[in-house]
Amino acid sequence: MQVRDESPVFQAYCGNTPPRFANRIEVECAKILDYYGVPWDYEPQSFVLERDAEGRVVSAFTPDFYLPEQNLFIEVTVMKQSLVTRKNRKLREVHRLYPHVRVKLFYRRDIERLAQRYRLRLAS
Amino acid sequence: MAEPRRSENGDVGHVHLTRDEIAARVAELGAEIGREYGGLDPILVAPLKSSVVFLADLTRALRIPHTLDVVELAPYTDGQSGGVRLLKDVDAPLEGRHVLLVEDVVDTGLTLNFLCRTLALRAPASIAAVTLLDRPYRRLVDELPLRFVGFTVPDELFAGYGLGLDEGWRALPDLHVVSSVALPRAATEAA
């Protein structure tokens, strides 16, 4: 299900279609990037991690953000640390299969730090 | 009266760096910067407010001719449109000057990156940065001219020595760890 945000006007967004964020945390991360004028895109690329015998995609990883100037993908997860094992495994697979791709995972703790730093209004 | 050590946004915890440890490192930084910038008459530029205590100590530890200036960035308030802007610009022209940005903490690198991009438009001879604390765990901008680092600190929030939380605790002479506040549940739920 997608977030019904108050339709912020993004100025540093590089995508072609309006981003459809999955949760409020992603919206706030986008706002911070936008505020600092860092060009960003939302889910522009999926990385295939596994295919079946017929070549169908069995597993893939789609990072939330891409910063073209930094050539950096960012995945934001709000799961508790104890529940991110699967996501960590996927990230390791990305590093193994696509060693040239730079991905950073922002955990719940990282978002909490950002929320305090920027006093994000997350509860509305 | 002593400032309360507890607020709705966190509690002041144990001392991570004592005033003496900070003073010793700032003296070392002053010597390092003095060696590299001797004869260059650098201008130290600090963003208000958290850096002012560090700036005040660093300028007195720097035994070469230099000048000071400050900038103030508009605080981030819920992603207001128009992006970050300067509430106060530098007073001095920067063209041909050697600029050393004085930061309290470098975390994501977004603020330092913005300052570097903004001040680079003034055609300085060089731009570099010194930070009291480096917290590199969430770095989004890697190519920063971060040339001098006081301390690489663990992934914690800090208060004291100029750093505050909601304007509190800046005057604490030591650097304290601040407890974290959990995300509200509404933040993590899909709408």
Side-chain angles (χ1 to χ4, degrees), chain A residues 26-69:
Chain A
E26 292 182 359
V27 178
E28 295 301 330
C29 288
K31 286 180 177 178
I32 292 172
L33 294 170
D34 218 70
Y35 183 71
Y36 283 98
V38 176
W40 60 276
D41 200 350
Y42 183 73
E43 294 189 342
Q45 192 174 346
S46 291
F47 298 96
V48 175
L49 301 181
E50 187 181 356
R51 293 180 187 273
D52 65 13
E54 281 75 45
R56 289 181 296 239
V57 175
V58 174
S59 174
F61 184 70
T62 307
D64 298 315
F65 296 95
Y66 176 62
L67 312 185
E69 285 190 355

Side-chain angles (χ1 to χ4, degrees), chain A residues 1-2 22 25 28 31 35-36 38 70 74 78 102 104 106 109-110 112-113 116-120 122, chain B residues 9 74-76 78 83-84 110-111 117 138-140 142 155-157 166 180-183 187 190-191:
Chain A
M1 197 175 288
Q2 308 298 321
I25 294 291
E28 295 301 330
K31 286 180 177 178
Y35 183 71
Y36 283 98
V38 176
Q70 317 302 328
I74 303 170
V78 291
R102 299 174 64 226
K104 282 193 178 178
F106 269 42
R109 176 185 173 88
D110 298 309
E112 287 171 352
R113 291 283 183 273
Q116 284 175 314
R117 170 80 171 77
Y118 298 104
R119 297 187 181 91
L120 304 184
L122 295 169
Chain B
N9 290 320
Y76 176 89
D78 198 25
V84 67
L110 290 172
T111 304
R117 280 189 288 127
R138 271 175 295 278
R139 191 79 90 236
L140 293 179
D142 287 327
D155 190 14
E156 302 285 351
L157 284 175
D166 291 341
S180 180
V181 176
L183 288 176

Side-chain angles (χ1 to χ4, degrees), chain B residues 121-167:
Chain B
L121 299 175
R122 322 283 173 83
S126 69
I127 297 183
V130 52
T131 184
L132 176 69
L133 307 179
D134 186 19
R135 200 165 46 197
Y137 316 103
R138 271 175 295 278
R139 191 79 90 236
L140 293 179
V141 184
D142 287 327
E143 292 183 9
L144 296 169
L146 191 53
R147 204 152 154 194
F148 308 95
V149 173
F151 302 92
T152 299
V153 290
D155 190 14
E156 302 285 351
L157 284 175
F158 296 97
Y161 195 72
L163 281 72
L165 193 65
D166 291 341
E167 295 304 319

Side-chain angles (χ1 to χ4, degrees), chain B residues 75-112:
Chain B
Y76 176 89
T77 49
D78 198 25
Q80 60 191 0
S81 61
V84 67
R85 61 198 167 88
L86 289 173
L87 294 178
K88 185 209 169 293
D89 205 339
V90 289
D91 298 320
L94 298 182
E95 186 174 355
R97 298 292 306 273
H98 293 274
V99 176
L100 186 62
L101 288 160
V102 180
E103 281 275 20
D104 55 332
V105 186
V106 176
D107 191 332
T108 60
L110 290 172
T111 304
L112 182 55

